[in-house]
mmCIF file of all heavy atoms in Angstrom:
data_model
loop_
_atom_site.group_PDB
_atom_site.id
_atom_site.type_symbol
_atom_site.label_atom_id
_atom_site.label_comp_id
_atom_site.label_asym_id
_atom_site.label_seq_id
_atom_site.Cartn_x
_atom_site.Cartn_y
_atom_site.Cartn_z
ATOM 1 N N PHE A 1 0.756 -1.259 0.009
ATOM 2 C CA PHE A 1 0.105 0.005 0.044
ATOM 3 C C PHE A 1 0.872 1.234 0.012
ATOM 4 O O PHE A 1 0.373 2.377 0.083
ATOM 5 C CB PHE A 1 -0.972 -0.010 1.250
ATOM 6 C CG PHE A 1 -1.783 -1.230 1.211
ATOM 7 C CD1 PHE A 1 -1.675 -2.195 2.331
ATOM 8 C CD2 PHE A 1 -2.730 -1.606 0.253
ATOM 9 C CE1 PHE A 1 -2.364 -3.304 2.312
ATOM 10 C CE2 PHE A 1 -3.391 -2.818 0.213
ATOM 11 C CZ PHE A 1 -3.342 -3.633 1.304
ATOM 12 N N GLY A 2 2.175 1.072 -0.201
ATOM 13 C CA GLY A 2 3.008 2.315 -0.325
ATOM 14 C C GLY A 2 3.139 3.205 0.859
ATOM 15 O O GLY A 2 3.457 4.492 0.717
ATOM 16 N N VAL A 3 3.058 2.717 1.993
ATOM 17 C CA VAL A 3 3.123 3.486 3.240
ATOM 18 C C VAL A 3 4.586 3.556 3.703
ATOM 19 O O VAL A 3 5.251 2.393 3.963
ATOM 20 C CB VAL A 3 2.217 3.027 4.470
ATOM 21 C CG1 VAL A 3 2.508 3.843 5.688
ATOM 22 C CG2 VAL A 3 0.761 3.108 4.003
ATOM 23 N N ASP A 4 5.299 4.661 3.934
ATOM 24 C CA ASP A 4 6.571 4.798 4.331
ATOM 25 C C ASP A 4 6.582 4.569 5.771
ATOM 26 O O ASP A 4 6.056 5.357 6.612
ATOM 27 C CB ASP A 4 7.076 6.285 3.959
ATOM 28 C CG ASP A 4 8.533 6.491 4.408
ATOM 29 O OD1 ASP A 4 9.112 5.575 5.101
ATOM 30 O OD2 ASP A 4 9.043 7.544 4.156
ATOM 31 N N LEU A 5 7.321 3.489 6.291
ATOM 32 C CA LEU A 5 7.279 3.186 7.734
ATOM 33 C C LEU A 5 7.954 4.235 8.575
ATOM 34 O O LEU A 5 7.685 4.393 9.648
ATOM 35 C CB LEU A 5 7.953 1.835 7.944
ATOM 36 C CG LEU A 5 7.332 0.678 7.108
ATOM 37 C CD1 LEU A 5 8.067 -0.655 7.578
ATOM 38 C CD2 LEU A 5 5.780 0.483 7.426
ATOM 39 N N THR A 6 8.867 4.983 7.933
ATOM 40 C CA THR A 6 9.553 6.115 8.727
ATOM 41 C C THR A 6 8.697 7.184 8.976
ATOM 42 O O THR A 6 8.913 8.082 9.822
ATOM 43 C CB THR A 6 10.887 6.467 7.965
ATOM 44 O OG1 THR A 6 10.507 7.223 6.757
ATOM 45 C CG2 THR A 6 11.740 5.361 7.742
ATOM 46 N N GLY A 7 7.673 7.387 8.323
ATOM 47 C CA GLY A 7 6.751 8.455 8.459
ATOM 48 C C GLY A 7 5.681 8.132 9.436
ATOM 49 O O GLY A 7 4.815 9.065 9.855
ATOM 50 N N VAL A 8 5.557 6.890 10.020
ATOM 51 C CA VAL A 8 4.585 6.587 10.901
ATOM 52 C C VAL A 8 5.079 6.798 12.386
ATOM 53 O O VAL A 8 6.304 6.601 12.594
ATOM 54 C CB VAL A 8 4.278 5.080 10.744
ATOM 55 C CG1 VAL A 8 3.353 4.556 11.943
ATOM 56 C CG2 VAL A 8 3.583 4.764 9.511
ATOM 57 N N THR A 9 4.179 7.337 13.225
ATOM 58 C CA THR A 9 4.588 7.406 14.740
ATOM 59 C C THR A 9 4.095 6.050 15.295
ATOM 60 O O THR A 9 2.963 5.765 15.387
ATOM 61 C CB THR A 9 3.789 8.567 15.277
ATOM 62 O OG1 THR A 9 4.210 9.817 14.691
ATOM 63 C CG2 THR A 9 4.084 8.608 16.796
ATOM 64 N N TRP A 10 5.127 5.249 15.714
ATOM 65 C CA TRP A 10 4.926 3.944 16.301
ATOM 66 C C TRP A 10 4.830 4.071 17.896
ATOM 67 O O TRP A 10 5.717 4.593 18.477
ATOM 68 C CB TRP A 10 6.056 2.918 15.810
ATOM 69 C CG TRP A 10 6.156 2.732 14.496
ATOM 70 C CD1 TRP A 10 7.000 3.296 13.629
ATOM 71 C CD2 TRP A 10 5.311 1.912 13.587
ATOM 72 N NE1 TRP A 10 6.824 3.069 12.250
ATOM 73 C CE2 TRP A 10 5.730 2.208 12.165
ATOM 74 C CE3 TRP A 10 4.141 1.110 13.863
ATOM 75 C CZ2 TRP A 10 5.135 1.522 11.050
ATOM 76 C CZ3 TRP A 10 3.602 0.477 12.782
ATOM 77 C CH2 TRP A 10 4.084 0.642 11.470
ATOM 78 N N VAL A 11 3.740 3.393 18.360
ATOM 79 C CA VAL A 11 3.552 3.318 19.780
ATOM 80 C C VAL A 11 3.521 1.875 20.150
ATOM 81 O O VAL A 11 2.668 1.065 19.763
ATOM 82 C CB VAL A 11 2.251 4.027 20.277
ATOM 83 C CG1 VAL A 11 2.002 3.873 21.766
ATOM 84 C CG2 VAL A 11 2.385 5.544 19.732
ATOM 85 N N GLN A 12 4.323 1.475 21.196
ATOM 86 C CA GLN A 12 4.342 0.128 21.678
ATOM 87 C C GLN A 12 3.751 0.051 23.074
ATOM 88 O O GLN A 12 4.143 0.781 23.994
ATOM 89 C CB GLN A 12 5.765 -0.421 21.762
ATOM 90 C CG GLN A 12 6.032 -1.830 22.210
ATOM 91 C CD GLN A 12 6.178 -1.930 23.759
ATOM 92 O OE1 GLN A 12 6.800 -1.069 24.293
ATOM 93 N NE2 GLN A 12 5.439 -2.924 24.358
ATOM 94 N N GLY A 13 2.851 -0.965 23.226
ATOM 95 C CA GLY A 13 2.152 -1.156 24.495
ATOM 96 C C GLY A 13 1.232 -2.421 24.487
ATOM 97 O O GLY A 13 1.098 -3.147 23.561
ATOM 98 N N GLY A 14 0.641 -2.701 25.623
ATOM 99 C CA GLY A 14 -0.298 -3.753 25.762
ATOM 100 C C GLY A 14 -1.457 -3.527 24.952
ATOM 101 O O GLY A 14 -2.015 -2.507 24.886
ATOM 102 N N ILE A 15 -2.031 -4.615 24.348
ATOM 103 C CA ILE A 15 -3.214 -4.458 23.564
ATOM 104 C C ILE A 15 -4.480 -4.012 24.361
ATOM 105 O O ILE A 15 -5.163 -3.109 24.098
ATOM 106 C CB ILE A 15 -3.497 -5.707 22.860
ATOM 107 C CG1 ILE A 15 -2.361 -6.284 21.972
ATOM 108 C CG2 ILE A 15 -4.860 -5.689 21.910
ATOM 109 C CD1 ILE A 15 -2.392 -7.581 21.345
ATOM 110 N N ASN A 16 -4.885 -4.900 25.346
ATOM 111 C CA ASN A 16 -5.867 -4.579 26.294
ATOM 112 C C ASN A 16 -5.611 -4.204 27.650
ATOM 113 O O ASN A 16 -6.437 -3.774 28.371
ATOM 114 C CB ASN A 16 -6.827 -5.796 26.195
ATOM 115 C CG ASN A 16 -7.535 -6.005 24.847
ATOM 116 O OD1 ASN A 16 -8.025 -5.078 24.214
ATOM 117 N ND2 ASN A 16 -7.563 -7.196 24.408
ATOM 118 N N GLU A 17 -4.322 -4.385 28.054
ATOM 119 C CA GLU A 17 -3.913 -4.031 29.325
ATOM 120 C C GLU A 17 -2.562 -3.230 29.149
ATOM 121 O O GLU A 17 -1.635 -3.619 28.406
ATOM 122 C CB GLU A 17 -3.560 -5.350 30.210
ATOM 123 C CG GLU A 17 -4.726 -6.191 30.485
ATOM 124 C CD GLU A 17 -4.357 -7.361 31.169
ATOM 125 O OE1 GLU A 17 -4.194 -7.252 32.497
ATOM 126 O OE2 GLU A 17 -4.238 -8.437 30.588
ATOM 127 N N PRO A 18 -2.324 -2.239 29.994
ATOM 128 C CA PRO A 18 -1.050 -1.488 29.928
ATOM 129 C C PRO A 18 0.111 -2.277 30.493
ATOM 130 O O PRO A 18 -0.112 -3.146 31.331
ATOM 131 C CB PRO A 18 -1.328 -0.237 30.754
ATOM 132 C CG PRO A 18 -2.487 -0.641 31.778
ATOM 133 C CD PRO A 18 -3.252 -1.589 31.036
ATOM 134 N N GLY A 19 1.217 -1.792 30.151
ATOM 135 C CA GLY A 19 2.462 -2.374 30.795
ATOM 136 C C GLY A 19 3.187 -3.364 29.980
ATOM 137 O O GLY A 19 4.337 -3.815 30.472
ATOM 138 N N ARG A 20 2.817 -3.684 28.723
ATOM 139 C CA ARG A 20 3.583 -4.797 28.075
ATOM 140 C C ARG A 20 4.952 -4.105 27.573
ATOM 141 O O ARG A 20 4.980 -2.989 27.130
ATOM 142 C CB ARG A 20 2.808 -5.161 26.754
ATOM 143 C CG ARG A 20 3.551 -6.315 26.013
ATOM 144 C CD ARG A 20 2.541 -6.902 25.031
ATOM 145 N NE ARG A 20 3.197 -7.896 24.200
ATOM 146 C CZ ARG A 20 2.590 -8.800 23.379
ATOM 147 N NH1 ARG A 20 1.209 -8.752 23.379
ATOM 148 N NH2 ARG A 20 3.270 -9.697 22.722
ATOM 149 N N ILE A 21 6.010 -4.878 27.604
ATOM 150 C CA ILE A 21 7.278 -4.427 27.123
ATOM 151 C C ILE A 21 7.864 -5.312 26.119
ATOM 152 O O ILE A 21 7.283 -6.443 25.813
ATOM 153 C CB ILE A 21 8.347 -4.390 28.352
ATOM 154 C CG1 ILE A 21 8.485 -5.932 28.952
ATOM 155 C CG2 ILE A 21 7.828 -3.479 29.468
ATOM 156 C CD1 ILE A 21 9.650 -6.023 29.977
ATOM 157 N N GLU A 22 8.896 -4.838 25.337
ATOM 158 C CA GLU A 22 9.621 -5.626 24.357
ATOM 159 C C GLU A 22 10.288 -6.790 25.183
ATOM 160 O O GLU A 22 11.051 -6.497 26.003
ATOM 161 C CB GLU A 22 10.542 -4.747 23.616
ATOM 162 C CG GLU A 22 10.001 -3.841 22.557
ATOM 163 C CD GLU A 22 9.544 -4.521 21.257
ATOM 164 O OE1 GLU A 22 9.848 -5.799 21.134
ATOM 165 O OE2 GLU A 22 8.984 -3.816 20.446
ATOM 166 N N THR A 23 10.012 -7.981 24.538
ATOM 167 C CA THR A 23 10.652 -9.134 25.247
ATOM 168 C C THR A 23 12.255 -9.196 24.882
ATOM 169 O O THR A 23 13.055 -9.662 25.659
ATOM 170 C CB THR A 23 9.974 -10.485 24.841
ATOM 171 O OG1 THR A 23 8.567 -10.308 24.979
ATOM 172 C CG2 THR A 23 10.465 -11.631 25.620
ATOM 173 N N LEU A 24 12.464 -8.908 23.630
ATOM 174 C CA LEU A 24 13.915 -8.895 23.186
ATOM 175 C C LEU A 24 14.421 -7.474 22.854
ATOM 176 O O LEU A 24 13.592 -6.667 22.480
ATOM 177 C CB LEU A 24 14.004 -9.826 21.875
ATOM 178 C CG LEU A 24 13.807 -11.272 22.085
ATOM 179 C CD1 LEU A 24 13.814 -12.011 20.738
ATOM 180 C CD2 LEU A 24 14.740 -11.886 23.059
ATOM 181 N N PRO A 25 15.698 -7.272 22.869
ATOM 182 C CA PRO A 25 16.192 -6.003 22.483
ATOM 183 C C PRO A 25 15.980 -5.742 20.965
ATOM 184 O O PRO A 25 15.941 -6.689 20.185
ATOM 185 C CB PRO A 25 17.697 -6.025 22.773
ATOM 186 C CG PRO A 25 17.934 -7.208 23.722
ATOM 187 C CD PRO A 25 16.711 -8.209 23.355
ATOM 188 N N VAL A 26 15.771 -4.567 20.612
ATOM 189 C CA VAL A 26 15.411 -4.206 19.221
ATOM 190 C C VAL A 26 16.443 -3.269 18.601
ATOM 191 O O VAL A 26 16.568 -2.225 19.187
ATOM 192 C CB VAL A 26 13.968 -3.661 19.076
ATOM 193 C CG1 VAL A 26 13.631 -3.435 17.633
ATOM 194 C CG2 VAL A 26 12.910 -4.782 19.682
ATOM 195 N N GLY A 27 16.849 -3.540 17.478
ATOM 196 C CA GLY A 27 17.747 -2.608 16.664
ATOM 197 C C GLY A 27 16.937 -2.011 15.603
ATOM 198 O O GLY A 27 16.685 -2.668 14.457
ATOM 199 N N LEU A 28 16.361 -0.871 15.716
ATOM 200 C CA LEU A 28 15.480 -0.283 14.760
ATOM 201 C C LEU A 28 16.160 0.302 13.639
ATOM 202 O O LEU A 28 17.282 0.771 13.715
ATOM 203 C CB LEU A 28 14.634 0.805 15.486
ATOM 204 C CG LEU A 28 13.668 0.389 16.669
ATOM 205 C CD1 LEU A 28 13.079 1.667 17.289
ATOM 206 C CD2 LEU A 28 12.605 -0.559 16.057
ATOM 207 N N PRO A 29 15.479 0.221 12.409
ATOM 208 C CA PRO A 29 16.086 0.711 11.240
ATOM 209 C C PRO A 29 16.366 2.311 11.278
ATOM 210 O O PRO A 29 15.663 2.946 12.080
ATOM 211 C CB PRO A 29 15.230 0.428 10.097
ATOM 212 C CG PRO A 29 14.385 -0.709 10.611
ATOM 213 C CD PRO A 29 14.328 -0.491 12.120
ATOM 214 N N ASP A 30 17.171 2.778 10.581
ATOM 215 C CA ASP A 30 17.394 4.287 10.491
ATOM 216 C C ASP A 30 15.921 4.923 10.222
ATOM 217 O O ASP A 30 15.259 4.455 9.281
ATOM 218 C CB ASP A 30 18.317 4.712 9.388
ATOM 219 C CG ASP A 30 19.757 4.256 9.778
ATOM 220 O OD1 ASP A 30 19.928 4.065 11.000
ATOM 221 O OD2 ASP A 30 20.667 4.319 8.991
ATOM 222 N N GLY A 31 15.554 6.029 10.900
ATOM 223 C CA GLY A 31 14.391 6.760 10.608
ATOM 224 C C GLY A 31 13.148 6.185 11.341
ATOM 225 O O GLY A 31 12.090 6.827 11.258
ATOM 226 N N ILE A 32 13.317 5.055 12.097
ATOM 227 C CA ILE A 32 12.147 4.426 12.738
ATOM 228 C C ILE A 32 12.391 4.839 14.240
ATOM 229 O O ILE A 32 13.416 4.498 14.913
ATOM 230 C CB ILE A 32 12.105 3.001 12.560
ATOM 231 C CG1 ILE A 32 11.855 2.633 11.023
ATOM 232 C CG2 ILE A 32 11.022 2.423 13.485
ATOM 233 C CD1 ILE A 32 10.428 2.888 10.613
ATOM 234 N N THR A 33 11.323 5.314 14.913
ATOM 235 C CA THR A 33 11.317 5.425 16.343
ATOM 236 C C THR A 33 9.956 4.826 16.866
ATOM 237 O O THR A 33 8.868 4.760 16.198
ATOM 238 C CB THR A 33 11.209 6.957 16.783
ATOM 239 O OG1 THR A 33 10.182 7.659 16.228
ATOM 240 C CG2 THR A 33 12.607 7.673 16.261
ATOM 241 N N VAL A 34 10.136 4.210 18.000
ATOM 242 C CA VAL A 34 8.998 3.611 18.668
ATOM 243 C C VAL A 34 8.871 4.181 20.201
ATOM 244 O O VAL A 34 9.836 4.100 20.933
ATOM 245 C CB VAL A 34 9.234 2.062 18.790
ATOM 246 C CG1 VAL A 34 7.965 1.474 19.508
ATOM 247 C CG2 VAL A 34 9.340 1.542 17.374
ATOM 248 N N ARG A 35 7.690 4.701 20.474
ATOM 249 C CA ARG A 35 7.289 5.166 21.784
ATOM 250 C C ARG A 35 6.720 4.124 22.618
ATOM 251 O O ARG A 35 5.676 3.843 22.342
ATOM 252 C CB ARG A 35 6.575 6.475 21.600
ATOM 253 C CG ARG A 35 6.215 7.152 23.057
ATOM 254 C CD ARG A 35 5.522 8.490 22.915
ATOM 255 N NE ARG A 35 4.163 8.239 22.337
ATOM 256 C CZ ARG A 35 3.101 7.897 22.988
ATOM 257 N NH1 ARG A 35 3.198 7.655 24.277
ATOM 258 N NH2 ARG A 35 1.936 7.718 22.463
ATOM 259 N N PRO A 36 7.352 3.875 23.764
ATOM 260 C CA PRO A 36 6.755 2.887 24.612
ATOM 261 C C PRO A 36 5.622 3.620 25.428
ATOM 262 O O PRO A 36 5.621 4.760 25.890
ATOM 263 C CB PRO A 36 7.713 2.383 25.539
ATOM 264 C CG PRO A 36 8.746 3.554 25.509
ATOM 265 C CD PRO A 36 8.778 4.165 24.191
ATOM 266 N N GLU A 37 4.420 2.960 25.559
ATOM 267 C CA GLU A 37 3.325 3.475 26.366
ATOM 268 C C GLU A 37 2.999 2.423 27.427
ATOM 269 O O GLU A 37 2.739 1.328 27.260
ATOM 270 C CB GLU A 37 2.021 3.603 25.440
ATOM 271 C CG GLU A 37 0.777 3.929 26.207
ATOM 272 C CD GLU A 37 0.870 5.200 26.993
ATOM 273 O OE1 GLU A 37 1.193 6.174 26.474
ATOM 274 O OE2 GLU A 37 0.547 5.049 28.249
ATOM 275 N N ARG A 38 3.171 3.015 28.658
ATOM 276 C CA ARG A 38 3.080 2.019 29.882
ATOM 277 C C ARG A 38 1.785 2.296 30.783
ATOM 278 O O ARG A 38 1.333 1.370 31.529
ATOM 279 C CB ARG A 38 4.231 2.145 30.880
ATOM 280 C CG ARG A 38 5.643 1.900 30.151
ATOM 281 C CD ARG A 38 5.740 0.503 29.851
ATOM 282 N NE ARG A 38 7.041 0.169 29.272
ATOM 283 C CZ ARG A 38 7.198 -0.042 27.917
ATOM 284 N NH1 ARG A 38 6.055 -0.078 27.116
ATOM 285 N NH2 ARG A 38 8.405 -0.372 27.315
ATOM 286 N N GLN A 39 1.171 3.392 30.433
ATOM 287 C CA GLN A 39 -0.042 3.760 31.367
ATOM 288 C C GLN A 39 -1.403 3.363 30.825
ATOM 289 O O GLN A 39 -2.341 3.130 31.596
ATOM 290 C CB GLN A 39 0.102 5.362 31.608
ATOM 291 C CG GLN A 39 1.371 5.835 32.220
ATOM 292 C CD GLN A 39 1.686 5.058 33.510
ATOM 293 O OE1 GLN A 39 0.813 4.938 34.369
ATOM 294 N NE2 GLN A 39 2.937 4.664 33.576
ATOM 295 N N ARG A 40 -1.481 3.307 29.441
ATOM 296 C CA ARG A 40 -2.766 3.023 28.900
ATOM 297 C C ARG A 40 -2.584 1.865 27.768
ATOM 298 O O ARG A 40 -1.517 1.821 27.200
ATOM 299 C CB ARG A 40 -3.370 4.234 28.183
ATOM 300 C CG ARG A 40 -3.875 5.278 29.257
ATOM 301 C CD ARG A 40 -4.311 6.514 28.532
ATOM 302 N NE ARG A 40 -3.121 7.180 27.931
ATOM 303 C CZ ARG A 40 -3.335 8.212 27.085
ATOM 304 N NH1 ARG A 40 -4.500 8.705 26.769
ATOM 305 N NH2 ARG A 40 -2.231 8.773 26.625
ATOM 306 N N SER A 41 -3.622 1.141 27.620
ATOM 307 C CA SER A 41 -3.610 0.092 26.555
ATOM 308 C C SER A 41 -3.766 0.691 25.236
ATOM 309 O O SER A 41 -4.296 1.800 24.939
ATOM 310 C CB SER A 41 -4.722 -0.991 26.710
ATOM 311 O OG SER A 41 -5.998 -0.245 26.515
#
């Protein structure tokens, strides 16, 4: 669908409950940022 992944604001968190974390360390590609969200699902 031609969506540039670097233009997306990525938010990481629990689907239905807050507090989920990344299980493994992540090396993100250049231009990608992921904001963790711990307070809300």
Side-chain angles (χ1 to χ4, degrees):
F1 307 115
V3 174
D4 181 358
L5 301 186
T6 65
V8 171
T9 299
W10 299 100
V11 178
Q12 179 272 319
I15 302 169
N16 291 315
E17 299 176 76
R20 183 166 179 170
I21 62 173
E22 286 280 355
T23 311
L24 293 175
V26 180
L28 297 172
D30 291 342
I32 297 286
T33 58
V34 179
R35 176 176 66 84
E37 169 59 55
R38 300 289 178 259
Q39 303 304 314
R40 288 174 292 170
S41 68

